[in-house]
Amino acid sequence: MSDKRRADRAKQARRDVRRAKRRTAGTSTDTELTDAIRSALAGGHPLNLLSMASMVIHVGKPDRRRDETHLDNILTGLIGVRNRETTALLAVTAELLVDDPAQQLRCRREVAERGEHLPRWITALPQVDVYRAVRRTHVFRDVDEVVIGMRLDRGHELTVAIRIDHNMLSTVTDAAAVPEPIDEALAKVAETSTDTDIFEMTLADARVWTEDALNMPTLSPKTDEWPLYRALVRWLVGRLPEGGEHRSPPGDWKSGKELCDGFFATSSAAPFTGSSHRELLLELFETGTGDPLRWSAARVEQAIGGTPHSEYSIPLEVALDAPDLLRAFIPYAHAQSGIRDELTARTLAMVESLRTSYKREVLRHAKYWGLDDVV
C-alpha cells in the first residue's frame, strides 16, 4: 500500500514536528509551524493533520518509551502558540493520545479554553465510521496486511494498512494510510500484486490481530512510514469492536509429524536415512511462520542464514545436512500447498546461496562449543 506520496508525507510531517521541537529550545518558528498546519488543513483531507499529530506523539514518545518530559516539552511548545492552527493540531493530538490520559486531558483542556471554531471532522473523530476490514496475504503467508476502511465526517474516506510480519514474531513492521476508499485502494494494489489472496475479516478480528501484533517486540528495522502512523493505528484499533478471534497457529506437532512421514516415504528423502534427520526437519518447521508447507526466501534466510541453533541432540553430520534437506523437502511441501514452480525456484536459489556459509558457520559453532565429536 505504499507510493511516493507516503514518503513525501512522512518527510513533511517530520519537518513540521522538528519545528515544534526547536521552538521549545528557544528558536522561534511560530510562523513556519502555523503555515505548515494551515497547509495541512487546506489540503482538504484529514489525513494530513492526522499524520502530523501522529508524528508529534512519535517524537514525544519514540519506541513507545514513556518519556513524559519529552512529550510535555513538545506540547508546551504547541500550547505557547495560541492560534487556530495549533488549536486544531492539539485537538487531533488529544484524540490520538489514547495511551496517555494525563496528556490527553491537558490538550483537551487547552483546546476547550481557547474556544476556537474547528473543522467539524476534528470534533467528529470519536464517531468515525469504521466499516470494512480485509486481510491481504502472500501465498507464502510470511506477511499479513490488515487493511481497514473508515469514513470520517463529511464523507472523507481513509484506508489504513497494517503490515504484520510473521517471520518477525508476528509484530507490526510497517503501516500506510491513503486518503481514498478501501475498495479503490485495494483495486490499485491488485494491479501490481501477484500471488496474493484477500480475505474478509470482521472488525473485531481486525482489532485483536492488530493488538496482538502491536504488543509483540519489534525486531525489524524501522521504516520511514511506521512512526508516522503508529499513533494513528493505535487510535484506530480502539475504534474497533472487541471480541474477535486470535490468529490461529499455522500448524501443530501432529500435522508436522504426518507431513514428515509422507516426505520420508518419498524417493527425494532417500539420502536422509537417520532418525535425526526427521528431528532436524521438525526443528526447521519451527522457524519463521511455523508453517511447514510454505517456504519463502526470507524464511529460508532466517532458518539457515545466521548462527545455527540446532539442538545438541542432533549429530553434527546431520546438522550440516540442513540446506540439502530443505532443498529436497521444499518442492514436496510446495506441491502440497499449491505454490507455483517459479516461486519455489526462488526459494531454492536462496537455499543454494546460503549452503556453503551455513555449513561453515555450523562447523565454527561446533568447534567453539567443543561439539566436534557429537554423534
Side-chain angles (χ1 to χ4, degrees):
M1 303 291 289
S2 62
D3 55 27
K4 186 175 183 299
R5 288 182 299 167
R6 288 172 51 202
D8 292 343
R9 190 181 297 118
K11 292 177 183 177
Q12 184 62 52
R14 285 193 292 272
R15 285 195 293 266
D16 296 337
V17 174
R18 282 197 295 268
R19 291 166 183 158
K21 289 177 64 181
R22 288 199 300 269
R23 186 184 185 283
T24 67
T27 301
S28 178
T29 57
D30 298 0
T31 301
E32 289 183 79
L33 178 60
T34 298
D35 288 346
I37 302 172
R38 185 181 297 122
S39 176
L41 288 167
H45 196 281
L47 179 57
N48 300 314
L49 198 59
L50 285 166
S51 300
M52 192 180 295
S54 191
M55 184 59 77
V56 166
I57 296 170
H58 166 69
V59 172
K61 294 183 176 183
D63 302 322
R64 296 177 61 188
R65 294 191 295 271
R66 296 191 62 81
D67 188 344
E68 299 296 344
T69 302
H70 197 180
L71 179 62
D72 187 76
N73 289 341
I74 293 176
L75 295 179
T76 296
L78 293 172
I79 289 171
V81 183
R82 297 184 64 87
N83 55 37
R84 179 176 179 270
E85 286 76 17
T86 56
T87 303
L89 180 56
L90 284 168
V92 178
T93 301
E95 181 65 24
L96 300 190
L97 274 170
V98 293
D99 61 347
D100 195 333
Q103 294 291 7
Q104 186 179 59
L105 181 60
R106 181 190 182 198
C107 292
R108 285 176 173 169
R109 283 175 173 170
E110 177 66 23
V111 171
E113 181 181 316
R114 293 185 183 189
E116 295 274 6
H117 176 71
L118 298 176
R120 203 175 85 172
W121 70 262
I122 294 179
T123 58
L125 280 174
Q127 289 78 48
V128 62
D129 175 25
V130 185
Y131 61 88
R132 187 185 177 195
V134 303
R135 173 169 61 93
R136 295 182 66 251
T137 184
H138 191 269
V139 293
F140 283 134
R141 305 294 190 259
D142 282 352
V143 173
D144 281 316
E145 194 173 57
V146 178
V147 186
I148 302 171
M150 70 197 78
R151 189 173 295 110
L152 306 174
D153 188 66
R154 305 271 185 194
H156 293 295
E157 294 275 358
L158 181 62
T159 298
V160 174
I162 303 135
R163 180 184 176 91
I164 302 172
D165 192 330
H166 300 302
N167 282 327
M168 294 291 177
L169 298 180
S170 297
T171 189
V172 174
T173 57
D174 200 3
V178 291
E180 55 194 35
I182 186 172
D183 288 347
E184 292 183 14
L186 291 173
K188 289 180 180 179
V189 173
E191 293 175 359
T192 57
S193 297
T194 57
D195 302 296
T196 300
D197 298 317
I198 295 181
F199 304 94
E200 294 290 334
M201 300 183 77
T202 68
L203 296 178
D205 284 355
R207 173 170 182 155
V208 74
W209 280 47
T210 305
E211 283 180 334
D212 287 347
L214 287 170
N215 291 331
M216 294 298 292
T218 302
L219 303 179
S220 60
K222 298 176 184 175
T223 65
D224 288 339
E225 289 78 17
W226 176 225
L228 179 61
Y229 298 117
R230 183 166 58 193
L232 176 60
V233 167
R234 289 190 171 276
W235 167 77
L236 171 58
V237 168
R239 315 315 303 174
L240 299 174
E242 297 180 329
E245 295 185 8
H246 297 272
R247 174 177 176 264
S248 299
D252 55 31
W253 181 85
K254 182 179 179 181
S255 62
K257 183 178 181 300
E258 292 174 351
L259 185 63
C260 269
D261 291 340
F263 168 67
F264 282 107
T266 68
S267 58
S268 299
F272 313 106
T273 57
S275 61
S276 294
H277 283 106
R278 181 184 299 268
E279 184 180 348
L280 174 60
L281 186 57
L282 287 170
E283 184 181 328
L284 288 168
F285 285 177
E286 297 176 7
T287 63
T289 64
D291 187 338
L293 290 174
R294 301 172 192 275
W295 295 82
S296 67
R299 181 181 180 183
V300 166
E301 186 173 16
Q302 184 191 70
I304 62 173
T307 302
H309 297 284
S310 296
E311 296 289 339
Y312 293 153
S313 60
I314 297 178
L316 176 58
E317 64 270 19
V318 172
L320 288 168
D321 283 341
D324 301 314
L325 182 58
L326 282 176
R327 187 169 55 188
F329 173 74
I330 288 172
Y332 175 82
H334 285 188
Q336 312 299 310
S337 52
I339 293 176
R340 59 190 177 91
D341 292 344
E342 183 181 349
L343 296 180
T344 300
R346 294 176 191 173
T347 302
L348 294 178
M350 177 61 73
V351 174
E352 189 61 33
S353 70
L354 294 173
R355 183 174 183 273
T356 300
S357 61
Y358 168 82
K359 291 176 180 287
R360 186 184 301 118
E361 184 64 19
V362 168
L363 290 171
R364 186 197 67 78
H365 190 259
K367 184 176 182 180
Y368 179 82
W369 290 104
L371 301 175
D372 306 64
D373 57 348
V374 173
V375 293

